[in-house]
Amino acid sequence: MKIFITKKEIKSYLSSLKEQNKSIGFVPTMGALHQGHLSLIKKAQQKNDLVVVSIFVNPTQFDKKEDLINYPKTIENDTKLLKSVSCDVLFLPSVKEIYADDISSKKFDFDGLEHQMEGKFREGHFDGVGTIVKTLFEIVKPNKAYFGQKDYQQLQIIKKMVKKNRLKVKVKGCPIFREQDGLAMSSRNARLTDAQRKAAPFIYKTLKKVRKKFGTENATIVTEWVENQFKKQPLLELEYFTIADKKTLEPIQKKESGKKYRAFIAVFAGKIRLIDNIQLKN
Ligand code: PAF
């Protein structure tokens, strides 16, 4: 596996491969890699000649300094894992390499997608995501880029950014990878205490019940039910639960036939914030 830390080196290496018409699959990450990331890499390997993974803990997408400081950093283990799955290229830039002396985000207009859910609770988050993903796309110039559906809103926002900026990359959303007990895989799970880890699968259990209930009940009743369920969970604090239009991400007003909905949830286990979502049938 080739490892590059400067833009100049990776660009020059990849441009020679592009001249040979090799297709590039790209998996941007913030490290602390888990099976979910490896599943994205596998997908990328199936569809491209070579796979580039980036590891960069992007400071501009964290709304809380504490969260950035505590974000798990496991670079040695990550490198070993990437080698074990035959990743071709790892891009591992420093903050200075990406942002020089101006660690700030560009402002983006994602046609309103950015004002819902995560956007309401994490100020500036999606400007930070847009800034880094666009920068990485410009450096790597991938044919296809792979993102997990756990961050479903992020995925829609990246698709919008690509469309609006007419970037050539195809953005692929991949299914949520779960632990055996249903907890969505996340780098943040490593920070849960044993008790919090035991409590956390309740999130997906609740989402599965939501899917059932939404078949017969309206969104307000389902939402109240979820809020009550979490009141009984001493280790989990519900930040939001929303049923939203799958495309616009606007909260549902009234079920409409022909529209597809998804349920979205954010929960705190102590200071650790966990998100998840599920496709609904109506
Ligand atoms: O989903 C993530 O890990 C990050 O938001 C991403 C897409 C790598 C951008 O920093």
Side-chain angles (χ1 to χ4, degrees), residues 220-236:
T220 313
I221 290 181
V222 176
T223 305
E224 279 169 10
W225 177 81
V226 171
E227 286 165 359
N228 284 328
Q229 295 307 300
F230 275 90
K231 280 182 193 146
K232 297 178 218 155
Q233 287 292 315
L235 296 181
L236 302 174

Side-chain angles (χ1 to χ4, degrees), residues 28-30 37 56 58 61 71 129 132-133 147 151 154 158:
T29 80
M30 297 207 297
H37 294 113
F56 180 68
N58 173 36
Q61 71 186 76
Y71 198 83
V129 170
I132 187 60
V133 174
F147 298 86
D151 298 290
Q154 165 175 283
I158 291 168

